[in-house]
Amino acid sequence: MARSRRRYLRGFGAAGALAVSGCLGRAARRRPADLSSWPPEDASPELSYWSWQHYWRSQAEAYQFEADLDRIDSETVPAAEQYRRLADGETPDVVTLPTRLFERALAEDLLEPFPPDAVPFWPPDEELHTHDESLYLRNGEAYGVPQTPMTYALAYHRERLDEPSSWDLLWDESLAGRIGMPADPVLAGQTAALYTGQDPNDPDDVDAVRAALREQQSLVATYWTDWNDCWRAFRDASVQAAVLPNPRMCLCSQDGTPVVEVAPTEGVLYSQNTLAIPRGAENPYTALEFIDWSVEFKTGTNAMWNPREWPLEPHRMLDEETREAYVDAAADAGIDP
């Protein structure tokens, strides 16, 4: 065990005993920014966690046993819904957000800072590619930690289709009624921008994006909110091509679903799964211990895609004008934010 997980179990006995004997209230009032040494004192024996990844969420429940927690509440929440629920005042202890939604939550002051010099998981080990460490830092404090790189890739049914090389597949009329697109208007618009040969972060012809989404509308079987709903539709081939998130984990063959994800020549949107602590989290010190464990824990095998091999476009927050242009264009195709 390379980092503090080995220290957590050593330190949890005393800290956990204090918490159980009556210090839970004091622990709940702690803020991550109060941390001055590692491992934290007065860590709570409880944790609540949201992830948009079903597989990761269930695997992460193993942390309850490794850290000897009394309880861990682990919930699968689509990334966009995580942002909405945070904005509505819900406060789990840890969330996992893709880059664009992490940045938005940070801009809305929905996340707690922590001192990067006091935790063993900073600086991050993950290669950030089109991002850098400054993305997660503000005024000497950190607000998130990249866990795994991911893309929004082109998924195809490996038993029904040949491997595609272009986003053109999602506009193929022979697949009418078997195409899956995200209900996120920005992500759908950026995919259409790639299809029309534009920079997805700075399109110069939004009318072409609008026309592409309108043209595609009759071909789409589902505009998914939870990617797993679209994933399952590949099992009976009711969906055969789609935009799907592709974390750098081995997920694609675990349940036998005939899905393969590839990078078209036009490029893919590159993001990071980012672990963060919501503003007002009840168990912030346990959250920090969980993050320390999570940045090392991976599901699956080492047979994973390598971001260096794919043409990457950063999936970051857009300026307001560009974002609104995508939202407006997607609305014409019935994609409602």
Side-chain angles (χ1 to χ4, degrees):
M1 304 174 78
R3 295 189 197 163
S4 67
R5 297 205 300 274
R6 63 182 181 273
R7 297 196 295 275
Y8 182 90
L9 295 177
R10 184 180 67 217
F12 186 81
L18 284 171
V20 172
S21 66
C23 290
L24 279 174
R26 182 153 58 98
R29 288 192 296 271
R30 299 278 190 176
R31 297 177 61 245
D34 296 333
L35 185 70
S36 60
S37 63
W38 193 269
E41 296 180 359
D42 297 345
S44 166
E46 299 181 355
L47 184 79
S48 58
Y49 172 60
W50 290 351
S51 175
W52 61 268
Q53 295 172 262
H54 299 253
Y55 297 96
W56 164 256
R57 186 220 60 157
S58 59
Q59 291 290 334
E61 290 175 356
Y63 180 73
Q64 176 178 359
F65 303 100
E66 180 158 346
D68 195 26
L69 298 184
D70 292 346
R71 188 179 75 194
I72 183 167
D73 295 324
S74 183
E75 184 178 353
T76 301
V77 182
E81 185 181 339
Q82 286 191 48
Y83 168 78
R84 288 194 297 270
R85 288 172 62 175
L86 290 174
D88 286 342
E90 293 190 51
T91 53
D93 298 314
V94 183
V95 293
T96 307
L97 291 168
T99 300
R100 180 163 63 88
L101 291 173
F102 163 75
E103 287 185 288
R104 192 170 183 187
L106 180 55
E108 296 293 329
D109 196 29
L110 301 177
L111 304 176
E112 289 275 9
F114 61 84
D117 293 339
V119 296
F121 51 79
W122 193 271
D125 285 342
E126 285 290 348
E127 295 181 72
L128 303 183
H129 303 285
T130 65
H131 304 162
D132 58 54
E133 292 174 8
S134 65
L135 174 67
Y136 309 94
L137 300 171
R138 301 290 187 279
N139 300 319
E141 293 181 306
Y143 285 81
V145 183
Q147 180 197 33
T148 51
M150 61 172 285
T151 64
Y152 293 97
L154 176 58
Y156 72 99
H157 195 294
R158 66 187 178 205
E159 296 171 1
R160 301 294 181 92
L161 303 175
D162 295 331
E163 181 173 331
S165 60
S166 170
W167 289 107
D168 290 358
L169 184 69
L170 298 183
W171 278 261
D172 188 332
E173 293 184 358
S174 71
L175 294 177
R178 291 183 170 82
I179 289 171
M181 285 288 287
D184 178 340
V186 174
L187 180 53
Q190 289 179 303
T191 303
L194 288 167
Y195 165 68
T196 56
Q198 301 183 65
D199 181 341
N201 297 304
D202 187 20
D204 53 21
D205 188 355
V206 176
D207 286 340
V209 170
R210 186 189 314 274
L213 292 175
R214 287 286 300 274
E215 174 191 349
Q216 185 195 47
Q217 187 176 8
S218 63
L219 309 179
V220 175
T222 179
Y223 289 99
W224 56 263
T225 299
D226 184 343
W227 71 276
N228 200 49
D229 294 337
C230 184
W231 179 280
R232 285 194 293 263
F234 276 80
R235 295 176 186 173
D236 64 2
S238 59
V239 168
Q240 296 181 15
V243 180
L244 286 175
N246 185 17
R248 199 185 70 181
M249 299 183 191
C250 185
L251 303 180
C252 49
S253 299
Q254 289 183 359
D255 61 0
T257 304
V259 177
V260 176
E261 297 184 49
V262 297
T265 55
E266 300 94 339
V268 294
L269 292 160
Y270 170 81
S271 186
Q272 284 276 354
N273 280 322
T274 301
L275 294 159
I277 301 175
R279 182 75 68 179
E282 292 185 4
N283 304 296
Y285 282 5
T286 308
L288 289 169
E289 292 275 18
F290 176 73
I291 289 173
D292 183 52
W293 178 83
S294 297
V295 294
E296 292 186 24
F297 182 80
K298 302 290 188 292
T299 62
T301 71
N302 290 326
M304 302 178 290
W305 63 273
N306 185 335
R308 293 191 195 88
E309 299 171 356
W310 288 20
L312 304 175
E313 297 283 353
H315 194 230
R316 299 280 303 273
M317 262 186 77
L318 303 174
D319 63 74
E320 192 63 23
E321 182 180 356
T322 302
R323 179 182 178 279
E324 288 303 317
Y326 276 137
V327 169
D328 183 63
D332 279 358
I335 305 173
D336 187 348

